[in-house]
Amino acid sequence: MRYSQAFIPTQREIPSEAELISHRLLLRAGYMRKLASGVYSWLPLGRRVLRRIAALVREESERAGAQEVLFPALQPLELWEETGRTGMDVLFRLQDRSRRDLVLGMTHEEVATDLIRSEVRSYRQLPLLLYQVQIKFRDEPRPRGGVLRCREFMMHDCYSFHTSQECLDRAYGKMRVAYARALARMGLDFVTVEADPDGFGSTNHRFVTLVDSGEDLVFLCDSCGYAADSDRCELGDPGPAEPIEADPLKLVRTPGMRTVEEVTAFLQVPAEKLIKTLLYCTQDGDVVAALVRGDRDLNEAKLERALGGVAVEMASAEVVERITGAPVGFAGPQGLEGVRIIADRELQIGGNWVAGANQADAHVLNVNAGRDFQVDLWADLRAACDGDPCPRCGGELEALYGIEMAHIFQIGTRFSEAMGAYFQDAAGQECPVYLGSYGLGVSRAVAAIAEQNADVDGLLWPATVAPFDATVVCLNAAQDIEVAEEVYGMLQEASISVLLDDREERAGVKFKDADLIGIPLQIVVGRGARDGWVELRVRGRDVREEVAVADIVGRTLAMRRALISELDRTAAEAEAAVR
Ligand SMILES: [Zn+2]
């Protein structure tokens, strides 16, 4: 491609709406443009990166035995009614001219299971792994970071169908390797973490790239390798409780003091002496009181797990007033009627707590479990923190932020039972099909790679996903274009994808654009050109070689191979780590 004819609208100024480095650079370097909130157009450079990422994931999923299909984005709502998933607020819904309800697919478990129930009769037809690379839709309440979290995006999704849990386990293992290898080959640094079994109620793992700008919190143990996301991260037993002498209850006035900070400052007690009483309404219409220490945060996913997978929602101010007889901010566990009390296990240690008095502007001192209130269930409810003990080995957990790149689930027979996807086993018995589901964000990967591979000058694409393998920068087009054209032709002949900067621009502008766009190999045609020499550089590295024009193809291929084999080595390590 000749730069003079290419559509690469770079910008010098920093786009004001973009906070993240990846978002700024992808806009500035002309990879994409925003159409509406969370909706982006991919320009030629961005489209090329997307294609190469998709190609990597295709290659790895075919290695795992998956076959490519293309399911419709437009799906009948009835399919979602069968699995009871129409209530999701991120589901885009619409009606056709005959007022039939449709959805725009955010995932394809229903569509894939529908296909299997009508096509698969016998155990001989299984297992089957079907994947696609397709545009997905999600009515995201808070689009963020450009294509990092948006409403229309490209995904790789795969569905596997099996006769048994053992067979599902094997495919799950293979897809786990496929995703680990694909992400590593893209140059992404990531961890695999155990995730909350909520949602599909079974084993699932997330692949999270570690970047400070990420919003997903994960916990890692250096000593034993335990890794879990914040919803999953278990906290071990807090240890034996020391007997404590319960002091008499004492009511204290706390006018207008609702938050932990206000109460602790006013009463001059540390936050870890407080009990936070949080009221939740369950999907079954019950109210539960969840208790955590004042210096802790409650994790709602843990609360839902403790309740046996029942969804909860924070109680409204009206419900709080009805149950406690006090405005929000003064709830305590003592004397609550018709409410189940679920307490974080950490509250088994210590006593003489400070709690809300269940009356306006008052708290109570010396509240004790057993004497002043009864706990219906002790559970692990609190959010994990940096430095908490590892649930496996007792070592120290490190909290890190990241971006979820992929998520894999063992769904089991839940959807096939709901939708009637059965097969006949060898004995002629009708059995439900086992389902596995796998998804990797292709457009999100563009942003994540950019977020992890950038410097002050611009993007630094890994050789496997770069829009072009090399760029030929002709510093003085008037004098040296013939040499540049010769190099360009030779590289293309050798199947190296090249962007030739043939513009009538100053050398400085061309270098700036080359660095901004971030193509890994730069071939500079400058002063030495008339004597048959060009310079080969690697973007972002201290590599500069004078190369004779006659040798440029060989050197470029060798350099490209070296860059790719670095990534292949990381992929082999990533594979070994998840096996
Ligand atoms: Zn550990």
Side-chain angles (χ1 to χ4, degrees):
M1 172 60 69
R2 287 162 206 279
Y3 205 137
S4 59
Q5 290 153 30
F7 180 45
I8 307 176
T10 56
Q11 302 172 341
R12 287 280 161 264
E13 66 282 10
I14 294 169
S16 58
E17 80 264 30
E19 273 173 43
L20 301 185
I21 177 94
S22 57
H23 190 187
R24 287 201 298 266
L25 288 174
L26 290 169
L27 289 173
R28 275 190 55 207
Y31 280 73
M32 62 182 202
R33 286 293 182 265
K34 180 172 161 180
L35 174 67
S37 170
V39 184
Y40 284 81
S41 299
W42 290 98
L43 307 192
L45 288 181
R47 182 68 184 118
R48 293 180 76 100
V49 176
L50 268 183
R51 271 183 197 280
R52 297 193 73 181
I53 291 173
L56 280 185
V57 194
R58 279 193 169 96
E59 203 180 307
E60 294 296 343
S61 30
E62 304 224 343
R63 250 169 68 127
Q67 306 169 57
E68 184 161 2
V69 294
L70 183 57
F71 290 126
L74 207 53
Q75 309 174 4
L77 181 72
E78 292 102 81
L79 282 184
W80 291 71
E81 282 166 352
E82 289 185 49
T83 56
R85 292 209 291 175
T86 53
M88 282 192 278
D89 58 356
V90 288
L91 193 59
F92 267 111
R93 298 170 62 152
L94 68 159
Q95 282 192 330
D96 68 11
R97 61 176 72 226
S98 316
R99 300 197 164 263
R100 274 187 290 259
D101 291 310
L102 297 162
V103 307
L104 290 176
M106 52 178 273
T107 180
H108 282 70
E109 281 86 8
E110 281 81 357
V111 173
T113 305
D114 178 64
L115 181 70
I116 294 304
R117 75 174 158 187
S118 48
E119 299 300 327
V120 169
R121 292 280 163 263
S122 156
Y123 70 95
R124 289 192 196 88
Q125 293 167 275
L126 297 174
L128 264 183
L129 279 78
L130 304 176
Y131 79 90
Q132 59 171 346
V133 179
Q134 199 210 27
I135 299 289
K136 298 273 192 267
F137 300 88
R138 209 183 137 87
D139 196 358
E140 189 60 62
R142 286 186 309 130
R144 172 177 184 262
V147 291
L148 212 46
R149 187 166 62 218
C150 50
R151 301 197 297 162
E152 179 180 322
F153 50 93
M154 196 177 286
M155 280 272 293
H156 170 280
D157 50 329
C158 179
Y159 306 91
S160 70
F161 298 91
H162 310 273
T163 56
S164 66
Q165 178 64 44
E166 294 66 45
C167 187
L168 169 56
D169 284 339
R170 281 195 294 278
Y172 189 83
K174 283 184 184 166
M175 284 307 295
R176 196 172 160 177
V177 166
Y179 278 0
R181 286 187 51 88
L183 295 172
R185 288 177 67 196
M186 290 172 208
L188 280 172
D189 185 15
F190 66 95
V191 292
T192 314
V193 298
E194 287 179 26
D196 180 23
D198 177 56
F200 294 133
S202 57
T203 303
N204 69 111
H205 288 87
R206 299 165 72 201
F207 296 76
V208 178
T209 65
L210 301 177
V211 287
D212 294 338
S213 55
E215 285 188 326
D216 279 300
L217 194 54
V218 298
F219 292 88
L220 306 178
C221 173
D222 236 4
S223 322
C224 75
Y226 176 80
D229 69 6
S230 53
D231 287 348
R232 179 71 198 151
C233 190
E234 298 152 15
L235 295 168
D237 202 307
E242 302 272 314
I244 275 213
E245 199 165 320
D247 293 331
L249 280 179
K250 189 176 166 202
L251 189 78
V252 286
R253 305 304 304 170
T254 49
M257 307 294 158
R258 293 159 190 272
T259 66
V260 170
E261 295 71 37
E262 288 165 353
V263 173
T264 51
F266 186 75
L267 295 177
Q268 296 287 304
V269 290
E272 59 258 35
K273 288 299 294 171
L274 255 68
I275 290 181
K276 260 199 262 195
T277 307
L278 303 157
L279 296 186
Y280 280 87
C281 296
T282 71
Q283 69 187 86
D284 310 331
D286 296 331
V287 179
V288 298
L291 313 183
V292 290
R293 230 168 62 177
D295 57 332
R296 303 301 194 185
D297 287 321
L298 178 97
N299 180 297
E300 285 183 11
K302 287 186 173 183
L303 175 60
E304 291 179 346
R305 261 208 312 282
L307 292 169
V310 177
V312 298
E313 202 171 72
M314 186 74 106
S316 65
E318 293 76 55
V319 172
V320 173
E321 287 212 39
R322 177 165 59 78
I323 299 285
T324 68
V328 172
F330 300 98
Q334 63 288 353
L336 294 182
E337 277 174 28
V339 171
R340 262 182 97 192
I341 295 185
I342 325 280
D344 183 65
R345 287 188 306 211
E346 209 174 33
L347 293 172
Q348 289 172 320
I349 311 291
N352 293 324
W353 304 98
V354 177
N358 296 322
Q359 51 177 282
D361 300 328
H363 279 74
V364 179
L365 308 184
N366 307 324
V367 173
N368 286 283
R371 182 188 72 180
D372 307 314
F373 64 95
Q374 299 304 324
V375 174
D376 296 297
L377 179 67
W378 293 99
D380 171 22
L381 292 185
R382 75 172 176 91
C385 308
D386 190 51
D388 270 335
C390 166
R392 293 263 168 84
C393 76
E396 204 168 285
L397 290 176
E398 187 181 4
L400 292 163
Y401 279 98
I403 300 164
E404 177 184 300
M405 294 313 305
H407 202 159
I408 58 177
F409 297 91
Q410 294 196 3
I411 295 181
T413 58
R414 200 188 114 187
F415 282 14
S416 42
E417 279 168 20
M419 296 182 65
Y422 290 85
F423 69 96
Q424 238 174 31
D425 71 6
Q429 284 274 332
E430 290 283 312
C431 310
V433 171
Y434 285 79
L435 171 64
S437 167
Y438 319 86
L440 185 148
V442 173
S443 36
R444 174 176 291 184
V446 179
I449 296 166
E451 193 70 19
Q452 279 188 347
N453 298 274
D455 64 14
V456 287
D457 299 317
L459 294 156
L460 289 156
W461 293 109
T464 44
V465 299
F468 290 93
D469 297 324
T471 178
V472 174
V473 184
C474 180
L475 296 187
N476 186 336
Q479 284 179 27
D480 303 320
I481 195 66
E482 273 172 36
V483 178
E485 289 279 359
E486 186 190 353
V487 170
Y488 177 56
M490 287 161 68
L491 293 172
Q492 283 191 314
E493 198 88 335
S495 297
I496 298 167
S497 61
V498 197
L499 178 69
L500 167 64
D501 194 346
D502 56 344
R503 295 174 300 168
E504 307 269 340
E505 289 280 359
R506 283 180 294 113
V509 171
K510 293 186 178 185
F511 278 129
K512 271 212 157 59
D513 281 337
D515 284 350
L516 178 62
I517 289 168
I519 294 166
L521 299 177
Q522 302 179 342
I523 296 155
V524 181
V525 178
R527 213 171 293 155
R530 272 142 281 170
D531 306 319
W533 292 91
V534 292
E535 191 180 58
L536 178 61
R537 300 182 182 183
V538 179
R539 169 76 178 92
R541 298 191 193 197
D542 196 16
V543 176
R544 286 169 185 226
E545 273 182 29
E546 290 293 316
V547 181
V549 170
D551 299 331
I552 191 63
V553 169
R555 282 309 299 150
T556 306
L557 282 173
M559 197 65 90
R560 179 161 191 273
R561 263 198 307 275
L563 293 176
I564 287 177
S565 62
E566 281 176 18
L567 294 161
D568 285 342
R569 273 197 299 280
T570 340
E573 285 165 23
E575 176 173 349
V578 298
R579 267 204 189 275

